[in-house]
């Protein structure tokens, strides 16, 4: 079994301000890929995601073939739910993408709200088909 470096952190939920524990385990021998994540709720609920059988799919890029996710009991529920799956093939990892891959055209009649951090919030009403990049270039 690989040795994992365990990081502990506490954060507060934005919704109910209850304390949640988050534990992340990374596999250093696989470029610090996330191998295990545990989220423990204040009332005993939990979620554990485990990844294994890492494969180098591109130079210094490791992805897991196997995943297992376990959800623990929540209030009034007395059983666990477990999902397991295995990836059989990786394709096109780290290949170059054409420049227009993420060039979206927004249709006429669409309302766009631009609320990026550090910039004033702006509202745009699109009256003709417009590429998303037009809004990004305005700053």
């Amino acid at each position: 079994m690989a040795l994992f470096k365990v990081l502990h952190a506490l954060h507060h939920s934005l919704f109910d301000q209850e304390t949640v524990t988050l534990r992340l385990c990374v596999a250093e021998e696989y470029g610090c890929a996330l191998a295990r994540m545990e989220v423990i709720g204040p009332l005993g609920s939990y979620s554990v995601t485990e990844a294994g059988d890492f494969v180098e799919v591109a130079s210094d890029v490791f992805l897991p073939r196997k995943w297992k996710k376990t959800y623990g009991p929540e209030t009034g529920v007395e059983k666990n739910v477990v999902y397991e799956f295995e990836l059989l093939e990786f394709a096109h990892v780290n290949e170059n993408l054409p420049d227009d891959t993420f060039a979206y055209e927004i249709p006429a009649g669409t309302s766009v709200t631009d609320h990026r951090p550090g910039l004033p919030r702006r509202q745009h009403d699109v009256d003709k088909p417009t590429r998303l990049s037009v809004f990004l270039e305005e700053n």
Side-chain angles (χ1 to χ4, degrees), residues 1-2 4 27 29-30 33-36 50-57 61-68 85-90:
M1 173 170 256
F4 298 125
E29 64 271 29
Y30 299 116
L34 186 61
R36 182 179 174 96
E50 298 174 277
D53 193 12
F54 287 90
V55 177
E56 188 171 16
V57 295
V61 177
F62 294 90
L63 296 177
R65 279 193 196 276
K66 296 181 181 178
W67 288 85
K68 179 179 180 181
F85 58 95
E86 181 175 353
L87 301 172
L88 301 176
E89 178 182 358
F90 295 98

Side-chain angles (χ1 to χ4, degrees), residues 65-136:
R65 279 193 196 276
K66 296 181 181 178
W67 288 85
K68 179 179 180 181
K69 182 146 190 164
T70 305
Y71 296 94
E74 296 182 19
T75 306
V77 179
E78 296 298 325
K79 65 178 188 173
N80 295 334
V81 177
V82 178
Y83 297 100
E84 293 186 61
F85 58 95
E86 181 175 353
L87 301 172
L88 301 176
E89 178 182 358
F90 295 98
H92 310 292
V93 177
N94 266 12
E95 288 184 359
N96 290 329
L97 297 173
D99 288 340
D100 64 349
T101 299
F102 299 102
Y104 299 105
E105 187 170 281
I106 301 170
T110 302
S111 179
V112 176
T113 302
D114 184 353
H115 195 184
R116 289 176 279 169
L119 297 173
R121 181 181 174 143
R122 294 185 297 178
Q123 186 71 33
H124 306 277
D125 294 316
V126 179
D127 58 359
K128 62 182 180 186
T130 308
R131 295 179 69 88
L132 178 61
S133 59
V134 168
F135 299 111
L136 300 175

